Coordinates of all heavy atoms in Angstrom, one line a residue:
V89 N -11.5 15.9 -31.5 CA -11.4 17.2 -32.2 C -9.9 17.7 -32.3 O -9.4 18.0 -33.3 CB -12.3 18.3 -31.5 CG1 -12.1 19.6 -32.2 CG2 -13.7 17.8 -31.4
T90 N -9.3 17.6 -31.1 CA -7.9 18.2 -31.1 C -6.8 17.3 -31.6 O -6.0 17.6 -32.5 CB -7.5 18.5 -29.6 OG1 -8.5 19.4 -29.0 CG2 -6.2 19.3 -29.5
S91 N -6.8 16.0 -31.2 CA -5.8 15.0 -31.6 C -6.1 14.3 -32.9 O -5.4 14.4 -33.8 CB -5.6 14.0 -30.5 OG -4.8 13.0 -30.9
G92 N -7.3 13.7 -32.9 CA -7.7 13.0 -34.1 C -7.1 11.6 -34.3 O -7.3 10.9 -35.3
V93 N -6.2 11.2 -33.3 CA -5.6 9.8 -33.4 C -5.7 9.2 -32.0 O -5.7 10.0 -31.0 CB -4.2 9.9 -33.9 CG1 -4.1 10.3 -35.3 CG2 -3.3 10.7 -33.0
P94 N -5.7 7.9 -31.9 CA -5.7 7.3 -30.5 C -4.4 7.7 -29.7 O -3.4 8.0 -30.3 CB -5.6 5.8 -30.8 CG -6.2 5.7 -32.2 CD -5.7 6.9 -32.9
A95 N -4.5 7.7 -28.4 CA -3.4 8.0 -27.5 C -2.2 7.1 -27.8 O -1.1 7.6 -27.7 CB -3.9 7.9 -26.0
T96 N -2.5 5.9 -28.1 CA -1.4 4.9 -28.3 C -0.5 5.4 -29.5 O 0.7 5.2 -29.5 CB -1.9 3.5 -28.6 OG1 -3.0 3.6 -29.5 CG2 -2.4 2.9 -27.3
V97 N -1.2 5.9 -30.5 CA -0.5 6.4 -31.7 C 0.3 7.6 -31.4 O 1.5 7.8 -31.8 CB -1.5 6.7 -32.9 CG1 -0.8 7.3 -34.1 CG2 -2.2 5.4 -33.3
E98 N -0.2 8.5 -30.6 CA 0.5 9.7 -30.1 C 1.7 9.3 -29.4 O 2.8 9.9 -29.6 CB -0.4 10.5 -29.2 CG -1.4 11.4 -29.9 CD -2.2 12.3 -28.9 OE1 -2.3 11.9 -27.7 OE2 -2.7 13.3 -29.4
H99 N 1.6 8.3 -28.5 CA 2.7 7.9 -27.7 C 3.9 7.3 -28.5 O 5.0 7.6 -28.3 CB 2.3 6.9 -26.6 CG 1.3 7.5 -25.6 ND1 0.4 6.7 -24.9 CD2 0.9 8.7 -25.3 CE1 -0.3 7.4 -24.2 NE2 -0.1 8.7 -24.4
R100 N 3.5 6.5 -29.5 CA 4.5 5.9 -30.4 C 5.2 7.0 -31.2 O 6.4 7.0 -31.4 CB 3.8 4.9 -31.4 CG 3.5 3.6 -30.7 CD 3.3 2.5 -31.8 NE 2.2 2.8 -32.7 CZ 1.0 2.4 -32.5 NH1 0.6 1.8 -31.3 NH2 0.0 2.7 -33.4
A101 N 4.5 8.0 -31.7 CA 5.1 9.1 -32.5 C 6.0 9.9 -31.6 O 7.1 10.3 -32.0 CB 4.0 10.0 -33.0
A102 N 5.6 10.2 -30.3 CA 6.5 10.9 -29.4 C 7.8 10.1 -29.1 O 8.9 10.7 -29.1 CB 5.7 11.2 -28.1
A103 N 7.6 8.8 -28.9 CA 8.8 8.0 -28.6 C 9.7 7.9 -29.8 O 11.0 8.0 -29.7 CB 8.3 6.6 -28.3
A104 N 9.2 7.8 -31.0 CA 10.0 7.8 -32.2 C 10.8 9.1 -32.4 O 11.9 9.1 -32.8 CB 9.1 7.5 -33.4
T105 N 10.1 10.2 -32.2 CA 10.7 11.5 -32.3 C 11.8 11.7 -31.3 O 12.9 12.2 -31.6 CB 9.6 12.7 -32.1 OG1 8.6 12.5 -33.1 CG2 10.3 14.0 -32.3
S106 N 11.5 11.3 -30.1 CA 12.5 11.4 -29.0 C 13.8 10.5 -29.3 O 14.9 10.9 -29.2 CB 11.9 10.9 -27.7 OG 12.9 10.9 -26.7
S107 N 13.5 9.3 -29.8 CA 14.6 8.4 -30.2 C 15.5 8.9 -31.3 O 16.7 8.9 -31.3 CB 14.0 7.0 -30.6 OG 15.0 6.2 -31.0
A108 N 14.8 9.5 -32.3 CA 15.5 10.1 -33.5 C 16.3 11.3 -33.1 O 17.5 11.5 -33.5 CB 14.5 10.5 -34.6
S109 N 15.7 12.1 -32.2 CA 16.4 13.3 -31.7 C 17.6 12.9 -30.9 O 18.7 13.5 -31.0 CB 15.5 14.1 -30.8 OG 16.1 15.2 -30.2
S110 N 17.5 11.9 -30.0 CA 18.6 11.4 -29.2 C 19.8 10.9 -30.0 O 20.9 11.1 -29.8 CB 18.2 10.3 -28.2 OG 17.3 10.9 -27.2
A111 N 19.4 10.1 -31.1 CA 20.4 9.5 -32.0 C 21.2 10.6 -32.7 O 22.4 10.5 -32.8 CB 19.7 8.6 -33.0
S112 N 20.5 11.7 -33.0 CA 21.1 12.8 -33.7 C 22.1 13.5 -32.8 O 23.2 13.9 -33.1 CB 20.1 13.8 -34.2 OG 20.7 15.0 -34.7
V113 N 21.7 13.7 -31.5 CA 22.6 14.4 -30.5 C 23.8 13.5 -30.2 O 24.9 14.0 -30.0 CB 21.8 14.7 -29.2 CG1 22.7 15.3 -28.2 CG2 20.7 15.7 -29.5
V114 N 23.6 12.2 -30.1 CA 24.7 11.3 -29.8 C 25.8 11.4 -30.9 O 27.0 11.5 -30.7 CB 24.2 9.8 -29.7 CG1 25.4 8.8 -29.8 CG2 23.4 9.6 -28.4
A115 N 25.3 11.4 -32.2 CA 26.2 11.5 -33.3 C 26.9 12.9 -33.3 O 28.2 12.9 -33.6 CB 25.4 11.4 -34.6
E116 N 26.3 13.9 -32.8 CA 26.9 15.2 -32.7 C 28.0 15.2 -31.6 O 29.1 15.8 -31.8 CB 25.8 16.2 -32.4 CG 26.3 17.7 -32.3 CD 25.1 18.6 -31.9 OE1 24.0 18.5 -32.3 OE2 25.4 19.5 -31.0
C117 N 27.7 14.5 -30.5 CA 28.7 14.4 -29.4 C 29.9 13.7 -29.9 O 31.1 14.1 -29.6 CB 28.1 13.7 -28.2 SG 26.8 14.7 -27.3
V118 N 29.7 12.6 -30.5 CA 30.8 11.8 -31.0 C 31.7 12.6 -32.0 O 32.9 12.6 -31.9 CB 30.3 10.5 -31.7 CG1 31.5 9.8 -32.5 CG2 29.7 9.5 -30.7
Q119 N 31.1 13.3 -32.9 CA 31.8 14.1 -33.9 C 32.6 15.2 -33.2 O 33.8 15.5 -33.5 CB 30.8 14.8 -34.8 CG 31.4 15.6 -35.9 CD 32.4 14.8 -36.8 OE1 32.0 13.8 -37.3 NE2 33.6 15.3 -37.0
N120 N 32.0 15.8 -32.1 CA 32.7 16.9 -31.4 C 33.9 16.4 -30.6 O 34.9 17.0 -30.5 CB 31.7 17.6 -30.5 CG 30.8 18.5 -31.3 OD1 31.1 19.0 -32.4 ND2 29.6 18.8 -30.8
F121 N 33.7 15.2 -30.0 CA 34.8 14.5 -29.3 C 36.0 14.3 -30.2 O 37.1 14.6 -29.9 CB 34.4 13.2 -28.7 CG 33.9 13.2 -27.3 CD1 32.6 12.9 -26.9 CD2 34.7 13.7 -26.3 CE1 32.2 12.9 -25.6 CE2 34.3 13.7 -24.9 CZ 33.0 13.3 -24.6
I122 N 35.7 13.7 -31.4 CA 36.7 13.3 -32.3 C 37.4 14.5 -32.9 O 38.7 14.6 -33.0 CB 36.1 12.4 -33.5 CG1 35.7 11.1 -32.9 CG2 37.1 12.3 -34.6 CD1 34.9 10.2 -33.9
T123 N 36.6 15.6 -33.2 CA 37.2 16.8 -33.8 C 38.1 17.4 -32.8 O 39.2 17.9 -33.1 CB 36.1 17.8 -34.1 OG1 35.2 17.2 -35.1 CG2 36.6 19.1 -34.7
A124 N 37.7 17.5 -31.5 CA 38.6 18.1 -30.5 C 39.9 17.3 -30.3 O 41.0 17.9 -30.2 CB 37.8 18.2 -29.1
M125 N 39.8 16.0 -30.2 CA 41.0 15.2 -30.0 C 41.9 15.3 -31.3 O 43.2 15.4 -31.1 CB 40.6 13.7 -29.8 CG 40.0 13.5 -28.4 SD 39.8 11.8 -27.9 CE 38.3 11.4 -28.8
D126 N 41.4 15.2 -32.5 CA 42.2 15.3 -33.7 C 42.9 16.7 -33.8 O 44.0 16.8 -34.2 CB 41.3 15.1 -34.9 CG 40.9 13.7 -35.1 OD1 41.5 12.8 -34.4 OD2 40.1 13.4 -36.0

Side-chain angles (χ1 to χ4, degrees):
V89 180
T90 307
S91 172
V93 295
T96 44
V97 175
E98 278 185 336
H99 299 159
R100 282 200 299 272
T105 301
S106 174
S107 177
S109 174
S110 294
S112 173
V113 176
V114 167
E116 185 183 317
C117 290
V118 170
Q119 183 60 51
N120 287 334
F121 266 121
I122 292 171
T123 301
M125 289 189 284
D126 285 351

